[in-house]
Amino acid sequence: MKLKIFNGREIKIKELSRKDLRNVRKFRDFINSLIDENAQILMNKRFSLSEERKWLEEQLRKIKNRKTVFLAAEYNNTVIGTTGIDLLIGRQSHIGNFGITIRKDYRRISLGSYLLDKIIKLAKKVLKPQPKIIRLNVFSTNKPAIKLYKKYGFKIVAKIPKQIEFKGKLVNQLIMLREL
Ligand SMILES: CC(C)(COP(=O)(O)OP(=O)(O)OC[C@H]1O[C@@H](n2cnc3c(N)ncnc32)[C@H](O)[C@@H]1OP(=O)(O)O)[C@@H](O)C(=O)NCCC(=O)NCCS
């Protein structure tokens, strides 16, 4: 666990661990806050506590097997950000799939940048095999995220039309890669 100051606030950064099975509600409330704001993420249905517990258990199983790394940021006993990299399987085992979400009131204070950098370093250190490429999917309408990813060396390599239904429209999905 690490304490870091962002905008004068002392924020805890920690790797997901079995202890977090006591914190299912905190993680559930975090993801539901993003769903409630209609954020540009794929999930669009609120999570129940049992669904969230199942999801966390699955992450912990993959973490134990060195197939996933996952970091959470907490402030005032509230989860305010998460990020993870999951190795793909078989002939794509050299690719890590990246995701990140920051709670609405904690954006634009460099927390996303910090977590992105840390999770890539952690993935290189921990995942087996070590990933050679980090890959992500993003809505073509998600300007803040695309800007962040470009700043950290991701390049747009594909645009798949009409992949996501968002606010009554079919939005394109971008695939971005960063070679390590
Ligand atoms: C995308 C997201 C992770 C960015 O996190 P963040 O903590 O706000 O990002 P940072 O404060 O580290 O900003 C880093 C850079 O990203 C870009 N950026 C972030 N938010 C931006 C915004 N609203 N408008 C324009 N650029 C933005 C800027 O280049 C910024 O650098 P700068 O502050 O020096 O200009 C966050 O907005 C988020 O979680 N959004 C909702 C969920 C989501 O879209 N997740 C990504 C799904 S693919």
Side-chain angles (χ1 to χ4, degrees):
M1 202 262 286
K2 207 172 168 161
L3 288 172
K4 282 279 299 174
I5 310 283
F6 292 91
N7 217 18
R9 292 181 268 204
E10 202 174 60
I11 291 173
K12 268 189 215 166
I13 312 285
K14 57 176 197 180
E15 282 184 58
L16 191 73
S17 74
R18 292 207 68 79
K19 282 189 204 150
D20 287 308
L21 290 174
R22 288 187 228 132
N23 296 328
V24 177
R25 186 177 298 274
K26 278 200 260 181
F27 281 91
R28 195 275 312 259
D29 290 349
F30 170 69
I31 186 62
N32 284 348
S33 76
L34 282 126
I35 288 164
D36 290 347
E37 76 157 289
N38 208 13
Q40 296 193 60
I41 57 172
L42 289 176
M43 284 159 297
N44 62 356
K45 282 210 178 69
R46 299 185 106 239
F47 276 60
S48 67
L49 279 177
S50 67
E51 286 166 334
E52 184 66 20
R53 168 174 286 273
K54 243 190 187 166
W55 186 85
L56 284 173
E57 280 170 346
E58 176 64 7
Q59 299 313 304
L60 289 166
R61 188 186 63 74
K62 290 191 284 181
I63 288 169
K64 196 168 161 223
N65 294 333
R66 296 184 165 220
K67 299 302 175 198
T68 288
V69 281
F70 191 93
L71 289 171
E74 275 191 37
Y75 181 67
N76 266 350
N77 212 22
T78 303
V79 176
I80 60 163
T82 62
T83 184
I85 294 180
D86 267 323
L87 281 184
L88 302 188
I89 55 167
R91 296 188 197 281
Q92 291 190 304
S93 304
H94 61 294
I95 301 171
N97 200 47
F98 166 85
I100 189 164
T101 42
I102 307 292
R103 199 185 267 260
K104 198 162 190 237
D105 293 343
Y106 298 86
R107 293 182 193 147
R108 290 318 291 264
I109 57 169
S110 299
L111 181 59
S113 303
Y114 178 83
L115 289 179
L116 187 156
D117 186 55
K118 281 285 166 232
I119 200 74
I120 290 179
K121 287 189 174 131
L122 191 63
K124 278 163 94 173
K125 198 169 105 186
V126 169
L127 296 179
K128 291 270 173 299
Q130 193 185 60
K132 294 192 169 76
I133 295 174
I134 305 295
R135 170 185 171 141
L136 63 85
N137 300 317
V138 60
F139 298 15
S140 61
T141 45
N142 194 346
K143 300 291 175 240
I146 294 167
K147 210 165 164 201
L148 168 69
Y149 302 149
K150 281 185 173 164
K151 199 168 163 184
Y152 281 84
F154 285 85
K155 297 210 160 62
I156 297 170
V157 294
K159 178 180 94 175
I160 318 180
K162 299 185 181 173
Q163 292 297 290
I164 305 140
E165 201 183 325
F166 184 64
K167 294 188 176 167
K169 287 195 177 131
L170 292 181
V171 169
N172 301 336
Q173 189 172 39
L174 304 180
I175 297 177
M176 299 182 78
L177 301 183
R178 176 173 146 181
E179 296 206 18
L180 298 182

